[in-house]
Amino acid sequence: MISIKKYNHKLQYVWDDFIEKSNNGTIFHKQTFLNYHIDRKFQNHSLLFYQKNILICVLPAALVSENKVTTLYSHPGASYGGLIYKKLNFQLSQKIIIALEKYCIKHDIAKCTLRQTPLIYHKTYSACLDYVLHLRGFVAAEHYISHYLSLNLATNPLLYLQKRKQRYIKSDFLYNDDFTFAESDQLDEFYKILKQNKKKFNTSPTHSLKELQYLLKNFNQQIKLFVSYYKHKIMGGVLLFFTTENTCLIFYNVVANNASNKNISLYQIYRCIEYCVNNAFNVLDFGVSHLPNEQNPLLPKLSLIKFKEQFGCEGAIRLVYEKIFINNE
């Protein structure tokens, strides 16, 4: 018998401790992280699943209402979410999904959307949960293409680059003392460049400046800002999320409009690879490659995919499952 308890702030330590010890939890699933939303308020409706009073699974989620349809969404404030667990078998997967369905129906929730945690963040992977979701009528409503780099092939970061890219790094940066790359607290300057970059594509940054200030203050060991300088002037920067103890995500990689060297973006990624290799990270996540402003926002951005694959990145799918329980039409 699975029982479900709705999250409240008194359970924050219990929740975050479970995420730390889970099989597929990341920084994005911690309640301390989800609290960063300053300019966007979500109705937190995270769930804890118990079997015989033992916490076995959590679902970071929020209630989202649109066109009179209430959706339990995991979680709109996180890059990915879904069900986070320590260990699952087929039977337990079934019990959890059935309990989730009954919970949604009981609380008049019309739809459930699960944005699953990518495979690269699982310590061990079991397909049972995905199979049960299909079995119970959850539909893979969205597919995103993502790329990641496995960092267990070489200790020299240059070897992860194509030879032509290696030449650019050596000739333009490694032996040029005018270029430096270092951890920085110059968030205001970085954010100006970030807004410039997003404006080119008629979009806005995922985070507000206040939200990034909160995150860097409260997760200073798991989120770091690195900046590129040319003769002590900022030319660009990278925001890294250390999502688990051995995985890292490049969240922003931006270059100033007035940057004279077109390879600064390449240089910044090289230095991220170098940092991850030197600090024993196994995976560097390059994120998704899509065209959010197109009529079909799931269309792949081919130029970005090509850029990532030049580092030896492999493709990965991010899945979003949906199931409708109540038809409000």
Side-chain angles (χ1 to χ4, degrees), residues 149-156 159-160 277 281-282 311-314:
L149 182 63
S150 295
L151 297 171
N152 54 2
L153 300 177
T155 56
N156 182 350
L159 296 180
Y160 290 97
V277 169
F281 287 90
N282 297 330
F311 294 91
C313 287
E314 300 289 347

Side-chain angles (χ1 to χ4, degrees), residues 36-74:
Y36 83 83
H37 297 287
I38 298 169
D39 299 330
R40 298 164 289 166
K41 297 298 183 183
F42 295 112
Q43 186 180 346
N44 193 339
H45 202 94
S46 299
L47 302 176
L48 301 91
F49 296 73
Y50 292 85
Q51 185 177 50
K52 296 180 181 179
N53 296 319
I54 298 174
L55 183 60
I56 59 168
C57 181
V58 298
L59 174 62
L63 284 184
V64 178
S65 295
E66 187 175 356
N67 299 325
K68 298 182 180 180
V69 176
T70 300
T71 300
L72 182 67
Y73 200 109
S74 72

Side-chain angles (χ1 to χ4, degrees), residues 92-129:
L92 189 56
S93 299
Q94 280 190 306
K95 289 180 179 179
I96 288 171
I97 299 304
I98 291 171
L100 175 61
E101 292 172 344
K102 289 180 178 178
Y103 181 91
C104 290
I105 293 169
K106 179 180 178 180
H107 291 85
D108 296 321
I109 295 171
K111 185 169 68 171
C112 181
T113 300
L114 300 176
R115 189 193 298 258
Q116 294 295 91
T117 300
L119 174 59
I120 59 174
Y121 293 109
H122 292 240
K123 295 172 184 174
T124 59
Y125 179 66
S126 169
C128 289
L129 189 58

Side-chain angles (χ1 to χ4, degrees), residues 80-322:
Y80 28 78
L83 293 155
I84 310 303
Y85 57 89
K86 290 183 179 179
K87 189 174 182 180
L88 285 183
N89 56 29
F90 187 85
Q91 185 179 33
L92 189 56
S93 299
Q94 280 190 306
K95 289 180 179 179
I96 288 171
I97 299 304
I98 291 171
L100 175 61
E101 292 172 344
K102 289 180 178 178
Y103 181 91
C104 290
I105 293 169
K106 179 180 178 180
H107 291 85
D108 296 321
I109 295 171
K111 185 169 68 171
C112 181
T113 300
L114 300 176
R115 189 193 298 258
Q116 294 295 91
T117 300
L119 174 59
I120 59 174
Y121 293 109
H122 292 240
K123 295 172 184 174
T124 59
Y125 179 66
S126 169
C128 289
L129 189 58
D130 290 272
Y131 183 83
V132 170
L133 286 169
H134 285 292
L135 188 66
R136 299 293 305 177
F138 280 79
V139 176
E142 297 175 9
H143 297 73
Y144 295 89
I145 182 67
S146 176
H147 283 80
Y148 69 97
L149 182 63
S150 295
L151 297 171
N152 54 2
L153 300 177
T155 56
N156 182 350
L158 275 174
L159 296 180
Y160 290 97
L161 279 62
Q162 294 178 343
K163 289 187 177 180
R164 181 165 59 93
K165 304 292 186 185
Q166 292 181 25
R167 290 196 295 270
Y168 291 155
I169 294 298
K170 290 178 181 177
S171 62
D172 292 0
F173 301 103
L174 295 190
Y175 305 112
N176 187 342
D177 292 338
D178 289 332
F179 279 103
T180 55
F181 182 86
E183 189 173 351
S184 173
D185 60 1
Q186 293 182 271
L187 182 60
D188 288 0
E189 291 301 310
F190 170 83
Y191 200 77
K192 290 177 184 177
I193 298 173
L194 175 61
K195 288 177 67 177
Q196 291 171 0
N197 278 223
K198 294 295 183 180
K199 191 175 181 180
K200 296 176 187 176
F201 303 100
N202 296 316
T203 61
S204 300
T206 303
H207 304 89
S208 69
L209 177 59
K210 287 183 180 179
E211 288 172 339
L212 287 184
Q213 288 169 338
Y214 169 89
L215 289 174
L216 285 167
K217 178 182 178 181
N218 290 277
F219 292 91
N220 56 18
Q221 296 303 310
Q222 292 177 282
I223 301 175
K224 292 185 182 294
L225 174 64
F226 293 87
V227 169
S228 295
Y229 300 91
Y230 178 68
K231 294 183 177 179
H232 307 291
K233 184 176 181 180
I234 294 179
M235 290 290 103
V238 179
L239 191 68
L240 292 181
F241 283 61
F242 303 105
T243 37
T244 70
E245 62 183 9
N246 57 17
T247 60
C248 176
L249 169 66
I250 300 174
F251 206 98
Y252 296 118
N253 177 27
V254 299
V255 177
N257 290 340
N258 63 347
S260 58
N261 192 313
K262 64 179 181 180
N263 290 317
I264 288 178
S265 179
L266 167 68
Y267 170 64
Q268 291 179 162
I269 291 181
Y270 162 76
R271 293 302 300 266
C272 290
I273 294 172
E274 180 184 55
Y275 183 93
C276 288
V277 169
N278 290 342
N279 288 276
F281 287 90
N282 297 330
V283 171
L284 180 58
D285 187 351
F286 280 59
V288 295
S289 305
H290 287 275
L291 299 165
N293 288 333
E294 294 294 321
Q295 187 173 359
N296 180 0
L298 298 181
L299 283 174
K301 188 173 182 179
L302 299 180
S303 60
L304 186 54
I305 291 173
K306 182 179 179 181
F307 176 76
K308 293 173 182 178
E309 289 179 343
Q310 290 174 345
F311 294 91
C313 287
E314 300 289 347
I317 295 292
R318 291 188 188 176
L319 283 176
V320 179
Y321 289 102
E322 285 186 354

